Amino acid sequence: MSIAERAPASDAMEEELAAFRAEVLAWLEANSTRRSRDVNEFKRRMSATSQSQDRELEHVAACKAWQRRIYDAGYAGLNVPEEYGGQGRSSTEARVFQQEMARYEIDTGVFSVGLAMVVPTLLAHGTEEQKRQHVPALLKGEAVWCQLFSEPGAGSDLAGLTTRAVRDGDEWVVDGQKVWNSFAHIADWGILLARTDWDVPKHRGITYFLVDMTTPGVEARPLRQITGVAHFNETFLDGVRIPNANVLGDPNGGWGVAQTTLMAERMLIGGGGMGLGFRDYVELARHYGRTTDPLIRQRLAQAYTRFEILKWLGERARAAAKAGKPMGPESSVAKLVISDHVARNGDLVLAIEGAEGMLYSADAFEDGFWQQMFLGQWGIRIGGGTEQVQRNILGERVLGLPAESRPDKTDAFRDVPKNA
Ligand SMILES: Cc1cc2nc3c(=O)[nH]c(=O)nc-3n(C[C@H](O)[C@H](O)[C@H](O)COP(=O)(O)OP(=O)(O)OC[C@H]3O[C@@H](n4cnc5c(N)ncnc54)[C@H](O)[C@@H]3O)c2cc1C
């Protein structure tokens, strides 16, 4: 088919999308406030250097209320099939809604793991019962989810995890320790990886579970980050009994299921950028009277280029997804580029602020929001897989460089030397 023949259809689609965007904007205008420098709940929250339990519970309640409003208005799970509570529309429409919502004072942050990582994993691997039990509840904002993957001895080398699950009748009994689990202290449900066979190579003896966080034996202890806020946890699992019906995918097939979650996680982080746009950096430079400084101008131009590259990387990934191509190393590229982006933006912010960059919290401009952005960069760079690990993936899978020698991939996990 020629381009000329295709054009009318694509024009019609563009028009339809523009109409949808206008409808979304009208709803947002009627229901929320556009983010501005004067009224900015996002900046107020992100500049916090500590968080009381009351304030945190208030935040969870606010996120739940927002997610419910979005659901009631018909904008939750736009690209999720209708039988699971979604709208059965396209991922392009879902992205338009996310793009526009990001410009408003709407926060659904505590659902990031659930909506962006758990929903696609459930849809791809869940049983009918699992999908019907969990997806609608997630879309309605009824359940906060956390990811119980990393362990003290298994982060980059996630398949080296040693939390064990042993089958006991219709249940599994889980013992072990997880770490860096965002939202675990406020979560209703968790996605959990545990070792169920020690006599096969490490990737083949892992099972993926859905765990009710109120089950006796689950204990999440908050860990304080460099920003002063404690949003993640170490989670202890002591004789935790999980029904067999809560295994996602096949027993010992958890590594394959986890790939869906991990890819979605890299896309989530790679598609982000601390909720800031290029305009925010220009406004900061204006506030400090630095927009005529040639060095700052040059760095702002570089930042603009990075924002554009990220936008087009996102488009490329979405086009591949739309064409039904399996997501390959694009998620690693996106994660790597966003890591570089947040690191350089952190440096740019401090260069713009100059000596004032040394101030902190209430003493600093916008209550230290920009200092918190600088300190928060490491969370983004490490979470979801470090830069070094993404480079390894790209080196081996895209550039075809020789792989690291990995006898632990073939030996029975029981015989592989472990971290202490
Ligand atoms: C903000 C934040 C939120 C997180 N949220 C969650 C969560 O909700 N749930 C969860 O399960 N986990 C979570 N994590 C954990 C995250 O996935 C791990 O921190 C990450 O995978 C790195 O593992 P690690 O911290 O054990 O570091 P390690 O794996 O110990 O790595 C230490 C250093 O060694 C380097 N390194 C390791 N292996 C290699 C290699 N083969 N080649 C070259 N260099 C290597 C790494 O790049 C890094 O610099 C979160 C982390 C952060 C920072």
Side-chain angles (χ1 to χ4, degrees):
M1 189 192 288
S2 72
I3 292 175
E5 278 171 311
R6 275 207 312 260
S10 104
D11 280 354
M13 275 164 61
E14 287 300 319
E15 269 172 35
E16 218 173 283
L17 205 57
F20 177 69
R21 194 183 289 273
E23 176 202 312
V24 165
L25 270 170
W27 184 80
L28 290 167
E29 277 296 320
N31 287 278
S32 179
T33 319
R34 212 175 159 90
R35 271 188 198 166
S36 76
R37 283 188 53 199
D38 303 327
V39 190
N40 204 329
E41 167 61 19
F42 168 71
K43 281 190 177 163
R44 195 173 70 79
R45 199 168 41 77
M46 296 305 281
S47 64
T49 50
S50 65
Q51 193 169 34
S52 69
Q53 205 190 6
D54 285 352
R55 177 76 189 99
E56 181 158 42
L57 293 178
E58 233 174 73
H59 177 227
V60 175
C63 287
K64 285 190 170 177
W66 263 120
Q67 187 57 33
R68 182 70 211 203
R69 276 173 86 175
I70 293 168
Y71 177 85
D72 288 341
Y75 294 121
L78 278 165
N79 57 342
V80 171
E82 285 170 79
E83 61 265 40
Y84 306 121
Q87 300 296 321
R89 301 178 78 150
S90 68
S91 32
T92 310
E93 286 162 307
R95 178 170 52 86
V96 164
F97 183 75
Q98 289 301 326
Q99 275 174 350
E100 297 303 335
M101 189 181 86
R103 297 182 221 275
Y104 285 78
E105 294 282 0
I106 296 179
D107 188 2
T108 55
V110 297
F111 295 108
S112 55
V113 170
L115 293 174
M117 293 155 58
V118 178
V119 168
T121 312
L122 280 167
L123 291 177
H125 304 278
T127 61
E128 201 50 33
E129 289 80 26
Q130 288 169 339
K131 288 191 264 196
R132 287 190 190 277
Q133 180 185 356
H134 295 295
V135 178
L138 250 163
L139 299 181
K140 288 178 194 164
E142 289 171 356
V144 174
W145 283 70
C146 68
Q147 179 196 29
L148 303 167
F149 281 16
S150 306
E151 297 182 1
S156 301
D157 180 21
L158 181 60
L161 58 90
T162 55
T163 288
R164 64 173 64 229
V166 178
R167 183 85 189 247
D168 180 20
D170 276 349
E171 295 179 322
W172 294 79
V173 183
V174 183
D175 288 279
Q177 186 196 340
K178 297 288 172 176
V179 75
W180 317 128
N181 314 115
S182 308
F183 312 123
H185 59 304
I186 52 164
D188 305 291
W189 282 87
I191 42 174
L192 167 79
L193 294 181
R195 186 157 305 281
T196 41
D197 189 343
W198 298 68
D199 295 316
V200 292
K202 62 182 181 180
H203 296 91
R204 291 205 255 128
I206 294 171
T207 300
Y208 197 121
F209 296 92
L210 309 174
V211 55
D212 179 341
M213 293 296 283
T214 61
T215 313
V218 179
E219 188 193 352
R221 297 185 195 160
L223 292 167
R224 200 155 299 283
Q225 294 150 240
I226 193 173
T227 53
V229 176
H231 102 252
F232 56 25
N233 302 263
E234 50 184 352
T235 307
F236 295 86
L237 301 145
D238 184 10
V240 176
R241 301 189 82 89
I242 302 180
N244 188 48
N246 287 3
V247 168
L248 187 58
D250 295 326
N252 295 326
W255 188 250
V257 182
Q259 292 318 300
T260 306
T261 313
L262 295 174
M263 215 145 3
E265 179 175 23
R266 289 197 287 265
M267 288 311 291
L268 170 70
I269 300 171
M274 294 179 157
L276 293 170
F278 176 66
R279 211 169 50 96
D280 294 294
Y281 294 89
V282 174
E283 279 177 8
L284 183 71
R286 278 208 187 106
H287 171 82
Y288 279 95
R290 305 295 301 275
T291 47
T292 51
D293 178 327
L295 291 179
I296 295 294
R297 289 175 72 87
Q298 192 171 17
R299 288 169 79 166
L300 280 170
Q302 287 164 350
Y304 179 77
T305 311
R306 291 195 301 273
F307 272 105
E308 286 297 295
I309 289 172
L310 270 167
K311 189 173 87 190
W312 291 112
L313 274 175
E315 292 295 338
R316 179 189 281 180
R318 274 183 286 276
K322 215 169 157 186
K325 291 188 190 154
M327 188 61 68
E330 288 92 343
S331 63
S332 292
V333 173
K335 175 80 210 317
L336 198 50
V337 173
I338 196 86
S339 292
D340 177 64
H341 186 51
V342 294
R344 287 174 197 260
N345 290 348
D347 290 347
L348 171 61
V349 160
L350 293 191
I352 291 172
E353 292 202 339
E356 276 196 34
M358 289 185 283
L359 298 177
Y360 188 55
S361 195
D363 293 333
F365 177 55
E366 296 194 316
D367 289 335
F369 167 79
W370 296 98
Q371 280 72 3
Q372 291 296 72
M373 287 294 104
F374 174 82
L375 293 173
Q377 67 174 279
W378 283 279
I380 291 189
R381 293 169 68 184
I382 298 170
T386 67
E387 289 150 56
Q388 292 80 3
V389 167
Q390 303 314 320
R391 285 201 172 89
N392 280 353
I393 293 173
L394 293 174
E396 291 176 16
R397 296 193 203 157
V398 180
L399 303 177
L401 297 175
E404 284 182 280
S405 164
R406 299 282 299 276
D408 58 327
K409 273 186 164 176
T410 46
D411 294 354
F413 186 69
R414 189 181 293 289
D415 302 327
V416 172
K418 317 272 186 313
N419 290 317

